[in-house]
PDB file of all heavy atoms in Angstrom:
ATOM      1  N   GLU A   1       0.825  -1.200   0.000  1.00  0.00           N
ATOM      2  CA  GLU A   1       0.000   0.000   0.000  1.00  0.00           C
ATOM      3  C   GLU A   1       0.864   1.257   0.000  1.00  0.00           C
ATOM      4  O   GLU A   1       2.004   1.253   0.480  1.00  0.00           O
ATOM      5  CB  GLU A   1      -0.908   0.058   1.237  1.00  0.00           C
ATOM      6  CG  GLU A   1      -1.859  -1.109   1.403  1.00  0.00           C
ATOM      7  CD  GLU A   1      -1.326  -2.149   2.353  1.00  0.00           C
ATOM      8  OE1 GLU A   1      -0.090  -2.236   2.506  1.00  0.00           O
ATOM      9  OE2 GLU A   1      -2.133  -2.893   2.956  1.00  0.00           O
ATOM     10  N   SER A   2       0.294   2.329  -0.517  1.00  0.00           N
ATOM     11  CA  SER A   2       0.942   3.639  -0.480  1.00  0.00           C
ATOM     12  C   SER A   2      -0.126   4.712  -0.562  1.00  0.00           C
ATOM     13  O   SER A   2      -1.289   4.421  -0.866  1.00  0.00           O
ATOM     14  CB  SER A   2       1.951   3.789  -1.634  1.00  0.00           C
ATOM     15  OG  SER A   2       1.289   3.673  -2.877  1.00  0.00           O
ATOM     16  N   GLY A   3       0.282   5.944  -0.271  1.00  0.00           N
ATOM     17  CA  GLY A   3      -0.620   7.076  -0.421  1.00  0.00           C
ATOM     18  C   GLY A   3      -1.196   7.625   0.864  1.00  0.00           C
ATOM     19  O   GLY A   3      -1.902   8.633   0.850  1.00  0.00           O
ATOM     20  N   GLY A   4      -0.920   6.977   1.983  1.00  0.00           N
ATOM     21  CA  GLY A   4      -1.414   7.496   3.244  1.00  0.00           C
ATOM     22  C   GLY A   4      -0.698   8.773   3.642  1.00  0.00           C
ATOM     23  O   GLY A   4       0.277   9.189   3.012  1.00  0.00           O
ATOM     24  N   GLY A   5      -1.203   9.403   4.693  1.00  0.00           N
ATOM     25  CA  GLY A   5      -0.580  10.628   5.169  1.00  0.00           C
ATOM     26  C   GLY A   5      -1.486  11.394   6.088  1.00  0.00           C
ATOM     27  O   GLY A   5      -2.507  10.882   6.559  1.00  0.00           O
ATOM     28  N   LEU A   6      -1.097  12.642   6.333  1.00  0.00           N
ATOM     29  CA  LEU A   6      -1.861  13.544   7.199  1.00  0.00           C
ATOM     30  C   LEU A   6      -2.659  14.508   6.325  1.00  0.00           C
ATOM     31  O   LEU A   6      -2.104  15.129   5.405  1.00  0.00           O
ATOM     32  CB  LEU A   6      -0.900  14.315   8.096  1.00  0.00           C
ATOM     33  CG  LEU A   6      -1.504  15.402   8.987  1.00  0.00           C
ATOM     34  CD1 LEU A   6      -2.460  14.791   9.995  1.00  0.00           C
ATOM     35  CD2 LEU A   6      -0.386  16.175   9.696  1.00  0.00           C
ATOM     36  N   VAL A   7      -3.942  14.629   6.623  1.00  0.00           N
ATOM     37  CA  VAL A   7      -4.812  15.500   5.837  1.00  0.00           C
ATOM     38  C   VAL A   7      -5.806  16.172   6.776  1.00  0.00           C
ATOM     39  O   VAL A   7      -6.170  15.602   7.813  1.00  0.00           O
ATOM     40  CB  VAL A   7      -5.531  14.699   4.730  1.00  0.00           C
ATOM     41  CG1 VAL A   7      -6.444  13.639   5.322  1.00  0.00           C
ATOM     42  CG2 VAL A   7      -6.278  15.609   3.772  1.00  0.00           C
ATOM     43  N   GLN A   8      -6.221  17.365   6.422  1.00  0.00           N
ATOM     44  CA  GLN A   8      -7.213  18.054   7.229  1.00  0.00           C
ATOM     45  C   GLN A   8      -8.604  17.501   6.960  1.00  0.00           C
ATOM     46  O   GLN A   8      -8.889  16.980   5.873  1.00  0.00           O
ATOM     47  CB  GLN A   8      -7.192  19.547   6.918  1.00  0.00           C
ATOM     48  CG  GLN A   8      -5.977  20.275   7.459  1.00  0.00           C
ATOM     49  CD  GLN A   8      -6.099  21.784   7.314  1.00  0.00           C
ATOM     50  OE1 GLN A   8      -6.787  22.285   6.413  1.00  0.00           O
ATOM     51  NE2 GLN A   8      -5.439  22.512   8.193  1.00  0.00           N
ATOM     52  N   ALA A   9      -9.457  17.625   7.943  1.00  0.00           N
ATOM     53  CA  ALA A   9     -10.845  17.202   7.775  1.00  0.00           C
ATOM     54  C   ALA A   9     -11.455  17.913   6.565  1.00  0.00           C
ATOM     55  O   ALA A   9     -11.221  19.101   6.355  1.00  0.00           O
ATOM     56  CB  ALA A   9     -11.640  17.507   9.026  1.00  0.00           C
ATOM     57  N   GLY A  10     -12.190  17.139   5.771  1.00  0.00           N
ATOM     58  CA  GLY A  10     -12.768  17.660   4.547  1.00  0.00           C
ATOM     59  C   GLY A  10     -11.908  17.449   3.326  1.00  0.00           C
ATOM     60  O   GLY A  10     -12.364  17.665   2.196  1.00  0.00           O
ATOM     61  N   GLY A  11     -10.674  17.039   3.551  1.00  0.00           N
ATOM     62  CA  GLY A  11      -9.747  16.838   2.460  1.00  0.00           C
ATOM     63  C   GLY A  11      -9.880  15.473   1.801  1.00  0.00           C
ATOM     64  O   GLY A  11     -10.780  14.694   2.117  1.00  0.00           O
ATOM     65  N   SER A  12      -8.938  15.195   0.901  1.00  0.00           N
ATOM     66  CA  SER A  12      -8.973  13.968   0.114  1.00  0.00           C
ATOM     67  C   SER A  12      -7.614  13.279   0.103  1.00  0.00           C
ATOM     68  O   SER A  12      -6.582  13.934   0.236  1.00  0.00           O
ATOM     69  CB  SER A  12      -9.380  14.273  -1.336  1.00  0.00           C
ATOM     70  OG  SER A  12     -10.658  14.859  -1.400  1.00  0.00           O
ATOM     71  N   LEU A  13      -7.655  11.975  -0.067  1.00  0.00           N
ATOM     72  CA  LEU A  13      -6.454  11.167  -0.264  1.00  0.00           C
ATOM     73  C   LEU A  13      -6.795  10.051  -1.231  1.00  0.00           C
ATOM     74  O   LEU A  13      -7.946   9.616  -1.319  1.00  0.00           O
ATOM     75  CB  LEU A  13      -5.955  10.557   1.044  1.00  0.00           C
ATOM     76  CG  LEU A  13      -5.120  11.397   1.997  1.00  0.00           C
ATOM     77  CD1 LEU A  13      -4.814  10.604   3.265  1.00  0.00           C
ATOM     78  CD2 LEU A  13      -3.835  11.873   1.347  1.00  0.00           C
ATOM     79  N   ARG A  14      -5.765   9.567  -1.909  1.00  0.00           N
ATOM     80  CA  ARG A  14      -5.916   8.415  -2.788  1.00  0.00           C
ATOM     81  C   ARG A  14      -4.906   7.362  -2.388  1.00  0.00           C
ATOM     82  O   ARG A  14      -3.690   7.588  -2.497  1.00  0.00           O
ATOM     83  CB  ARG A  14      -5.704   8.794  -4.240  1.00  0.00           C
ATOM     84  CG  ARG A  14      -6.043   7.689  -5.233  1.00  0.00           C
ATOM     85  CD  ARG A  14      -5.527   8.017  -6.607  1.00  0.00           C
ATOM     86  NE  ARG A  14      -6.156   7.234  -7.664  1.00  0.00           N
ATOM     87  CZ  ARG A  14      -5.594   6.993  -8.836  1.00  0.00           C
ATOM     88  NH1 ARG A  14      -4.399   7.486  -9.116  1.00  0.00           N
ATOM     89  NH2 ARG A  14      -6.245   6.296  -9.754  1.00  0.00           N
ATOM     90  N   LEU A  15      -5.405   6.234  -1.922  1.00  0.00           N
ATOM     91  CA  LEU A  15      -4.542   5.115  -1.567  1.00  0.00           C
ATOM     92  C   LEU A  15      -4.376   4.194  -2.761  1.00  0.00           C
ATOM     93  O   LEU A  15      -5.308   4.005  -3.549  1.00  0.00           O
ATOM     94  CB  LEU A  15      -5.125   4.333  -0.398  1.00  0.00           C
ATOM     95  CG  LEU A  15      -5.445   5.120   0.877  1.00  0.00           C
ATOM     96  CD1 LEU A  15      -5.932   4.157   1.963  1.00  0.00           C
ATOM     97  CD2 LEU A  15      -4.257   5.925   1.346  1.00  0.00           C
ATOM     98  N   SER A  16      -3.199   3.609  -2.865  1.00  0.00           N
ATOM     99  CA  SER A  16      -2.915   2.629  -3.903  1.00  0.00           C
ATOM    100  C   SER A  16      -2.417   1.351  -3.260  1.00  0.00           C
ATOM    101  O   SER A  16      -1.785   1.384  -2.197  1.00  0.00           O
ATOM    102  CB  SER A  16      -1.854   3.151  -4.872  1.00  0.00           C
ATOM    103  OG  SER A  16      -2.268   4.334  -5.514  1.00  0.00           O
ATOM    104  N   CYS A  17      -2.674   0.236  -3.918  1.00  0.00           N
ATOM    105  CA  CYS A  17      -2.174  -1.058  -3.466  1.00  0.00           C
ATOM    106  C   CYS A  17      -1.690  -1.814  -4.690  1.00  0.00           C
ATOM    107  O   CYS A  17      -2.492  -2.176  -5.562  1.00  0.00           O
ATOM    108  CB  CYS A  17      -3.261  -1.822  -2.745  1.00  0.00           C
ATOM    109  SG  CYS A  17      -2.811  -3.516  -2.316  1.00  0.00           S
ATOM    110  N   ALA A  18      -0.393  -2.020  -4.771  1.00  0.00           N
ATOM    111  CA  ALA A  18       0.206  -2.720  -5.892  1.00  0.00           C
ATOM    112  C   ALA A  18       0.381  -4.189  -5.554  1.00  0.00           C
ATOM    113  O   ALA A  18       0.925  -4.520  -4.491  1.00  0.00           O
ATOM    114  CB  ALA A  18       1.546  -2.094  -6.245  1.00  0.00           C
ATOM    115  N   ALA A  19      -0.078  -5.046  -6.447  1.00  0.00           N
ATOM    116  CA  ALA A  19      -0.014  -6.492  -6.222  1.00  0.00           C
ATOM    117  C   ALA A  19       1.032  -7.129  -7.134  1.00  0.00           C
ATOM    118  O   ALA A  19       1.281  -6.657  -8.246  1.00  0.00           O
ATOM    119  CB  ALA A  19      -1.367  -7.116  -6.471  1.00  0.00           C
ATOM    120  N   SER A  20       1.603  -8.210  -6.650  1.00  0.00           N
ATOM    121  CA  SER A  20       2.537  -8.985  -7.453  1.00  0.00           C
ATOM    122  C   SER A  20       2.499 -10.436  -6.997  1.00  0.00           C
ATOM    123  O   SER A  20       1.992 -10.746  -5.922  1.00  0.00           O
ATOM    124  CB  SER A  20       3.964  -8.429  -7.321  1.00  0.00           C
ATOM    125  OG  SER A  20       4.417  -8.506  -5.988  1.00  0.00           O
ATOM    126  N   GLY A  21       3.025 -11.310  -7.843  1.00  0.00           N
ATOM    127  CA  GLY A  21       3.172 -12.702  -7.460  1.00  0.00           C
ATOM    128  C   GLY A  21       2.205 -13.655  -8.115  1.00  0.00           C
ATOM    129  O   GLY A  21       2.560 -14.799  -8.402  1.00  0.00           O
ATOM    130  N   ARG A  22       0.969 -13.245  -8.304  1.00  0.00           N
ATOM    131  CA  ARG A  22      -0.037 -14.085  -8.947  1.00  0.00           C
ATOM    132  C   ARG A  22      -0.851 -13.226  -9.915  1.00  0.00           C
ATOM    133  O   ARG A  22      -0.682 -12.000  -9.965  1.00  0.00           O
ATOM    134  CB  ARG A  22      -0.973 -14.706  -7.906  1.00  0.00           C
ATOM    135  CG  ARG A  22      -0.306 -15.709  -6.969  1.00  0.00           C
ATOM    136  CD  ARG A  22      -0.230 -17.092  -7.587  1.00  0.00           C
ATOM    137  NE  ARG A  22       0.426 -18.059  -6.708  1.00  0.00           N
ATOM    138  CZ  ARG A  22      -0.209 -18.816  -5.829  1.00  0.00           C
ATOM    139  NH1 ARG A  22      -1.529 -18.709  -5.689  1.00  0.00           N
ATOM    140  NH2 ARG A  22       0.459 -19.677  -5.086  1.00  0.00           N
ATOM    141  N   THR A  23      -1.723 -13.853 -10.681  1.00  0.00           N
ATOM    142  CA  THR A  23      -2.547 -13.115 -11.630  1.00  0.00           C
ATOM    143  C   THR A  23      -3.552 -12.257 -10.879  1.00  0.00           C
ATOM    144  O   THR A  23      -4.475 -12.761 -10.247  1.00  0.00           O
ATOM    145  CB  THR A  23      -3.273 -14.073 -12.579  1.00  0.00           C
ATOM    146  OG1 THR A  23      -2.315 -14.901 -13.248  1.00  0.00           O
ATOM    147  CG2 THR A  23      -4.073 -13.299 -13.604  1.00  0.00           C
ATOM    148  N   PHE A  24      -3.354 -10.955 -10.961  1.00  0.00           N
ATOM    149  CA  PHE A  24      -4.148 -10.020 -10.160  1.00  0.00           C
ATOM    150  C   PHE A  24      -5.636 -10.146 -10.438  1.00  0.00           C
ATOM    151  O   PHE A  24      -6.459 -10.078  -9.514  1.00  0.00           O
ATOM    152  CB  PHE A  24      -3.668  -8.598 -10.473  1.00  0.00           C
ATOM    153  CG  PHE A  24      -4.390  -7.508  -9.726  1.00  0.00           C
ATOM    154  CD1 PHE A  24      -4.219  -7.375  -8.350  1.00  0.00           C
ATOM    155  CD2 PHE A  24      -5.210  -6.615 -10.383  1.00  0.00           C
ATOM    156  CE1 PHE A  24      -4.864  -6.364  -7.660  1.00  0.00           C
ATOM    157  CE2 PHE A  24      -5.858  -5.610  -9.707  1.00  0.00           C
ATOM    158  CZ  PHE A  24      -5.686  -5.479  -8.337  1.00  0.00           C
ATOM    159  N   SER A  25      -5.999 -10.363 -11.680  1.00  0.00           N
ATOM    160  CA  SER A  25      -7.409 -10.398 -12.045  1.00  0.00           C
ATOM    161  C   SER A  25      -8.135 -11.635 -11.522  1.00  0.00           C
ATOM    162  O   SER A  25      -9.349 -11.751 -11.695  1.00  0.00           O
ATOM    163  CB  SER A  25      -7.569 -10.304 -13.568  1.00  0.00           C
ATOM    164  OG  SER A  25      -6.886 -11.370 -14.200  1.00  0.00           O
ATOM    165  N   ASN A  26      -7.446 -12.540 -10.884  1.00  0.00           N
ATOM    166  CA  ASN A  26      -8.076 -13.713 -10.279  1.00  0.00           C
ATOM    167  C   ASN A  26      -8.603 -13.427  -8.870  1.00  0.00           C
ATOM    168  O   ASN A  26      -9.232 -14.294  -8.264  1.00  0.00           O
ATOM    169  CB  ASN A  26      -7.093 -14.872 -10.191  1.00  0.00           C
ATOM    170  CG  ASN A  26      -6.884 -15.554 -11.532  1.00  0.00           C
ATOM    171  OD1 ASN A  26      -7.644 -15.344 -12.472  1.00  0.00           O
ATOM    172  ND2 ASN A  26      -5.838 -16.352 -11.622  1.00  0.00           N
ATOM    173  N   TYR A  27      -8.335 -12.231  -8.368  1.00  0.00           N
ATOM    174  CA  TYR A  27      -8.615 -11.934  -6.968  1.00  0.00           C
ATOM    175  C   TYR A  27      -9.568 -10.753  -6.811  1.00  0.00           C
ATOM    176  O   TYR A  27      -9.365  -9.690  -7.420  1.00  0.00           O
ATOM    177  CB  TYR A  27      -7.325 -11.630  -6.216  1.00  0.00           C
ATOM    178  CG  TYR A  27      -6.407 -12.824  -6.152  1.00  0.00           C
ATOM    179  CD1 TYR A  27      -5.515 -13.099  -7.185  1.00  0.00           C
ATOM    180  CD2 TYR A  27      -6.458 -13.701  -5.081  1.00  0.00           C
ATOM    181  CE1 TYR A  27      -4.696 -14.209  -7.145  1.00  0.00           C
ATOM    182  CE2 TYR A  27      -5.641 -14.818  -5.026  1.00  0.00           C
ATOM    183  CZ  TYR A  27      -4.765 -15.068  -6.069  1.00  0.00           C
ATOM    184  OH  TYR A  27      -3.962 -16.172  -6.019  1.00  0.00           O
ATOM    185  N   ALA A  28     -10.600 -10.964  -5.983  1.00  0.00           N
ATOM    186  CA  ALA A  28     -11.352  -9.831  -5.478  1.00  0.00           C
ATOM    187  C   ALA A  28     -10.449  -9.082  -4.506  1.00  0.00           C
ATOM    188  O   ALA A  28      -9.619  -9.696  -3.821  1.00  0.00           O
ATOM    189  CB  ALA A  28     -12.617 -10.300  -4.785  1.00  0.00           C
ATOM    190  N   MET A  29     -10.641  -7.778  -4.447  1.00  0.00           N
ATOM    191  CA  MET A  29      -9.797  -6.942  -3.598  1.00  0.00           C
ATOM    192  C   MET A  29     -10.647  -6.130  -2.637  1.00  0.00           C
ATOM    193  O   MET A  29     -11.814  -5.820  -2.926  1.00  0.00           O
ATOM    194  CB  MET A  29      -8.965  -5.991  -4.460  1.00  0.00           C
ATOM    195  CG  MET A  29      -8.052  -6.675  -5.466  1.00  0.00           C
ATOM    196  SD  MET A  29      -6.779  -7.677  -4.678  1.00  0.00           S
ATOM    197  CE  MET A  29      -5.847  -6.415  -3.803  1.00  0.00           C
ATOM    198  N   ALA A  30     -10.055  -5.791  -1.527  1.00  0.00           N
ATOM    199  CA  ALA A  30     -10.785  -5.001  -0.538  1.00  0.00           C
ATOM    200  C   ALA A  30      -9.825  -4.123   0.249  1.00  0.00           C
ATOM    201  O   ALA A  30      -8.617  -4.383   0.295  1.00  0.00           O
ATOM    202  CB  ALA A  30     -11.545  -5.911   0.415  1.00  0.00           C
ATOM    203  N   TRP A  31     -10.402  -3.086   0.830  1.00  0.00           N
ATOM    204  CA  TRP A  31      -9.699  -2.253   1.797  1.00  0.00           C
ATOM    205  C   TRP A  31     -10.365  -2.433   3.160  1.00  0.00           C
ATOM    206  O   TRP A  31     -11.590  -2.416   3.273  1.00  0.00           O
ATOM    207  CB  TRP A  31      -9.758  -0.788   1.387  1.00  0.00           C
ATOM    208  CG  TRP A  31      -8.919  -0.452   0.200  1.00  0.00           C
ATOM    209  CD1 TRP A  31      -9.304  -0.429  -1.111  1.00  0.00           C
ATOM    210  CD2 TRP A  31      -7.534  -0.085   0.207  1.00  0.00           C
ATOM    211  NE1 TRP A  31      -8.246  -0.085  -1.913  1.00  0.00           N
ATOM    212  CE2 TRP A  31      -7.140   0.148  -1.129  1.00  0.00           C
ATOM    213  CE3 TRP A  31      -6.576   0.084   1.217  1.00  0.00           C
ATOM    214  CZ2 TRP A  31      -5.847   0.524  -1.485  1.00  0.00           C
ATOM    215  CZ3 TRP A  31      -5.291   0.462   0.866  1.00  0.00           C
ATOM    216  CH2 TRP A  31      -4.930   0.680  -0.471  1.00  0.00           C
ATOM    217  N   PHE A  32      -9.532  -2.595   4.165  1.00  0.00           N
ATOM    218  CA  PHE A  32      -9.956  -2.623   5.551  1.00  0.00           C
ATOM    219  C   PHE A  32      -9.191  -1.523   6.286  1.00  0.00           C
ATOM    220  O   PHE A  32      -8.211  -0.997   5.791  1.00  0.00           O
ATOM    221  CB  PHE A  32      -9.623  -3.975   6.191  1.00  0.00           C
ATOM    222  CG  PHE A  32     -10.475  -5.117   5.709  1.00  0.00           C
ATOM    223  CD1 PHE A  32     -10.242  -5.700   4.465  1.00  0.00           C
ATOM    224  CD2 PHE A  32     -11.508  -5.617   6.495  1.00  0.00           C
ATOM    225  CE1 PHE A  32     -11.033  -6.765   4.023  1.00  0.00           C
ATOM    226  CE2 PHE A  32     -12.284  -6.674   6.062  1.00  0.00           C
ATOM    227  CZ  PHE A  32     -12.047  -7.249   4.820  1.00  0.00           C
ATOM    228  N   ARG A  33      -9.659  -1.210   7.475  1.00  0.00           N
ATOM    229  CA  ARG A  33      -8.931  -0.241   8.299  1.00  0.00           C
ATOM    230  C   ARG A  33      -9.019  -0.635   9.765  1.00  0.00           C
ATOM    231  O   ARG A  33      -9.942  -1.338  10.186  1.00  0.00           O
ATOM    232  CB  ARG A  33      -9.467   1.175   8.097  1.00  0.00           C
ATOM    233  CG  ARG A  33     -10.887   1.401   8.590  1.00  0.00           C
ATOM    234  CD  ARG A  33     -11.366   2.801   8.200  1.00  0.00           C
ATOM    235  NE  ARG A  33     -12.710   3.069   8.673  1.00  0.00           N
ATOM    236  CZ  ARG A  33     -13.424   4.149   8.374  1.00  0.00           C
ATOM    237  NH1 ARG A  33     -12.888   5.096   7.592  1.00  0.00           N
ATOM    238  NH2 ARG A  33     -14.637   4.315   8.852  1.00  0.00           N
ATOM    239  N   GLN A  34      -8.038  -0.174  10.506  1.00  0.00           N
ATOM    240  CA  GLN A  34      -8.005  -0.455  11.941  1.00  0.00           C
ATOM    241  C   GLN A  34      -7.484   0.758  12.677  1.00  0.00           C
ATOM    242  O   GLN A  34      -6.350   1.190  12.453  1.00  0.00           O
ATOM    243  CB  GLN A  34      -7.127  -1.684  12.235  1.00  0.00           C
ATOM    244  CG  GLN A  34      -7.194  -2.135  13.676  1.00  0.00           C
ATOM    245  CD  GLN A  34      -6.593  -3.507  13.874  1.00  0.00           C
ATOM    246  OE1 GLN A  34      -5.865  -4.030  13.024  1.00  0.00           O
ATOM    247  NE2 GLN A  34      -6.921  -4.139  14.993  1.00  0.00           N
TER     248      GLN A  34
END
C-alpha cells in the first residue's frame, strides 16, 4: 500500500495497493482499516 498521510478534515487522499506474485485479475480486492 501507499498514499497514506496527514490531511485536514474535509480533504482527500488516494490510496494505492500494488499487487505482485499471482494473476491479479483472479482476486477480489478489498480495503480494511483499523
Side-chain angles (χ1 to χ4, degrees):
E1 301 98 335
S2 61
L6 175 64
V7 63
Q8 288 189 333
S12 300
L13 279 177
R14 188 193 198 204
L15 305 184
S16 300
C17 173
S20 62
R22 294 276 179 91
T23 303
F24 180 69
S25 59
N26 283 346
Y27 295 86
M29 301 296 296
W31 289 93
F32 289 77
R33 66 186 181 187
Q34 187 167 16

